[in-house]
Amino acid sequence: MINTVEKKYNEDSTFNYEVNYQDGTAWTVPHDTANRHYQEILEWVSEGNTITDKGGS
Amino acid sequence: MTVTTIPTAGIADTAVSTAKIADNAVTVSKADFNNVNFKNLIINGDMSIAQRGASFSFNDSSGFTVDRFHFERTSGATGDCTITQESDAPNNTGLVKSVKIAVDTAETPTGGGNICFQQKIEGFNCATLEHGQSSPPSATLTFWVKSNKTGTYSVQIKGEGSTGRYVLFDYTISSANTWEKKTITWVGDTSVALDYDSSRRLRVIWHLASGPDDKVSPTSSWATSSLFQVSTNQVNFFDNTSNEIYITGVQLEVGTSASDFEFLPVDVNERRCFRYFQDYASFKLWTTALDGNTSTRLGGSMAYNTRMRATPSVSKTNNTGTVDSETITDRGYSVFGEKSNRGTTTNVTDLEFDAEL
């Protein structure tokens, strides 16, 4: 189960998501609806959770 | 008189016996059996490839085990168990490895709680099942199973097209701690097509325990549901911590009967798994920020062993320095170090790429 999600920007303005799971694992997840971790993020957000977005540098 | 032509109608049904056919008389093209390469829609059915390791503990969680095979528990069940890759397989089959599921905490799932072991198949690999067409062929699932807990279990074949569809079969483990081969055959679904794409379109599900909400009668006719459906006859495999079940030799093929298990060379089997998961343990991907010039840094990039099903997620250990940017595609990965760390190096290691279904 997901613990936290943070949007991480690259220098070219693309971005990924840093996802921390409750079992201690962490994944860098692309913004791709075919990716199972991204699908989990969407479900996690639909449950009322919020993605941390500190903006790009 | 020399007879040069015998009319077909002149040959009695029993006139050409097997013994009268020379060994080399029947060519492959004339053989009436499923002699198709890659006939097995299940990947890693011999449980031999295990990139993630050989032992997995689950406690109120789900996850992948040996390559392509997934353990799942849903709300209403904790599924506390240990899954291991074992060197225990049925004799005289060529199979060497199996998966063992051992219960760690006894439980009775409630509500819609389900505990199951499964493989998810992408649409590109389902085309030969011809679902949604007027006369799809039959399909046959074969697997070997062994458990101390005898009784009735169920296997669900779950179609995931525009509408969820399923067939559900009972199978019986008759003798404790004895390898048994199970074969199940069904006719394809005429109603709902399985899209030809890289998404999850079919699941083969071995149910282990279930709460009352999803229990239904087994059916060989395709029925509509997008849920796990478990036979009312299903035992509760999780009722005792001494319970363990082994599975191997899984094959799903087009046809009305089971053919021999299709063994693939290890490099081929592994490469098929790479489409969904790739592990680069101990591999170090270095980047260097050049001293004195923040704008000419070096980055690190790599191409995968094989193109992945979709853009994967990345798990890694960042040993030194700071990762600034990562580009992930289905063909490769690149990483750049933090620009302020001039004169330092960055490496990421223990890379894992996950494009599972």
Side-chain angles (χ1 to χ4, degrees):
Chain A
M1 296 176 68
I2 292 176
N3 206 13
T4 62
V5 180
E6 181 177 352
K7 197 171 182 179
K8 300 285 284 188
Y9 291 88
N10 294 321
E11 290 192 12
D12 60 359
S13 298
T14 61
F15 59 86
N16 302 304
Y17 300 94
E18 293 293 335
V19 183
N20 291 290
Y21 285 86
Q22 291 178 1
D23 64 3
T25 58
W27 291 89
T28 303
V29 178
H31 187 81
D32 183 348
T33 55
N35 180 286
R36 71 184 182 98
H37 292 112
Y38 182 69
Q39 293 167 1
E40 290 178 4
I41 293 172
L42 295 178
E43 186 175 341
W44 182 76
V45 169
S46 72
E47 293 168 352
N49 298 291
T50 303
I51 298 172
T52 300
D53 187 350
K54 297 177 180 176
S57 57
Chain B
M1 181 181 71
T2 300
V3 178
T4 56
T5 302
I6 301 174
T8 303
I11 304 174
D13 290 344
T14 58
V16 183
S17 64
T18 301
K20 293 177 181 175
I21 302 173
D23 289 345
N24 62 353
V26 181
T27 62
V28 170
S29 63
K30 299 293 185 185
D32 184 20
F33 63 94
N34 190 0
N35 187 36
V36 179
N37 290 331
F38 299 105
K39 64 187 175 185
N40 192 356
L41 303 187
I42 297 290
I43 296 174
N44 196 32
D46 62 357
M47 311 295 181
S48 61
I49 306 298
Q51 293 186 79
R52 297 175 181 84
S55 182
F56 310 87
S57 294
F58 296 99
N59 185 357
D60 210 10
S61 61
S62 304
F64 282 88
T65 62
V66 300
D67 278 57
R68 301 295 295 113
F69 283 92
H70 184 255
F71 173 79
E72 183 164 352
R73 44 66 63 188
T74 61
S75 180
T78 59
D80 187 2
C81 68
T82 300
I83 299 180
T84 50
Q85 183 193 42
E86 299 287 335
S87 296
D88 183 345
N91 284 329
N92 301 316
T93 61
L95 297 163
V96 176
K97 297 289 186 180
S98 63
V99 158
K100 180 176 79 172
I101 304 169
V103 176
D104 290 336
T105 303
E107 67 171 307
T108 301
T110 59
N114 289 289
I115 307 172
C116 62
F117 190 63
Q118 62 187 326
Q119 183 163 131
K120 305 165 186 176
I121 303 172
E122 67 176 289
F124 286 137
N125 291 340
C126 294
T128 54
L129 296 173
E130 299 176 15
H131 280 204
Q133 299 184 33
S134 59
S135 183
S138 295
T140 297
L141 174 71
T142 311
F143 59 96
W144 288 86
V145 64
K146 179 175 80 168
S147 178
N148 64 300
K149 186 173 180 63
T150 59
T152 302
Y153 293 72
S154 54
V155 167
Q156 179 184 4
I157 310 301
K158 188 169 182 288
E160 299 188 323
S162 57
T163 303
R165 302 277 283 172
Y166 75 95
V167 285
L168 179 65
F169 300 93
D170 286 347
Y171 69 94
T172 302
I173 296 180
S174 305
S175 302
N177 303 313
T178 304
W179 280 110
E180 299 177 26
K181 186 178 183 180
K182 305 300 176 187
T183 300
I184 300 167
T185 298
W186 62 90
V187 177
D189 185 9
T190 56
S191 298
V192 179
L194 302 174
D195 292 350
Y196 186 68
D197 60 16
S198 62
S199 298
R200 185 182 72 213
R201 295 301 173 196
L202 195 77
R203 295 199 219 185
V204 178
I205 304 165
W206 290 264
H207 288 290
L208 299 169
S210 178
D213 291 1
D214 294 330
K215 287 194 170 176
V216 297
S217 296
T219 174
S220 59
S221 299
W222 288 90
T224 298
S225 175
S226 59
L227 303 174
F228 285 127
Q229 301 281 253
V230 187
S231 169
T232 50
N233 304 315
Q234 168 76 43
V235 299
N236 177 12
F237 171 75
F238 270 74
D239 67 357
N240 195 304
T241 55
S242 65
N243 289 347
E244 54 188 33
I245 188 170
Y246 294 74
I247 299 173
T248 191
V250 181
Q251 181 156 288
L252 172 59
E253 61 191 308
V254 171
T256 56
S257 60
S259 63
D260 291 344
F261 184 83
E262 180 182 48
F263 289 97
L264 299 178
V266 63
D267 57 315
V268 176
N269 200 17
E270 188 174 59
R271 188 166 289 274
R272 298 203 75 195
C273 296
F274 284 162
R275 178 169 171 79
Y276 306 91
F277 185 83
Q278 296 188 31
D279 174 45
Y280 293 85
S282 300
F283 175 83
K284 286 186 178 179
L285 186 60
W286 290 93
T287 72
T288 304
L290 295 178
D291 190 16
N293 189 341
T294 60
S295 63
T296 56
R297 293 166 297 138
L298 296 178
S301 63
M302 58 182 288
Y304 309 137
N305 282 320
T306 191
R307 184 180 182 183
M308 302 195 75
R309 180 193 65 84
T311 309
S313 304
V314 183
S315 173
K316 62 187 180 298
T317 301
N318 183 18
N319 285 339
T320 58
T322 304
V323 170
D324 181 68
S325 295
E326 295 171 273
T327 299
I328 313 167
T329 74
D330 58 359
R331 296 178 185 271
Y333 170 74
S334 66
V335 60
F336 293 90
E338 173 61 49
K339 68 177 73 171
S340 62
N341 289 347
R342 289 187 299 158
T344 65
T345 56
T346 297
N347 77 65
V348 292
T349 187
D350 299 331
L351 285 154
E352 293 180 345
F353 299 95
D354 186 321
E356 273 289 0
L357 290 161

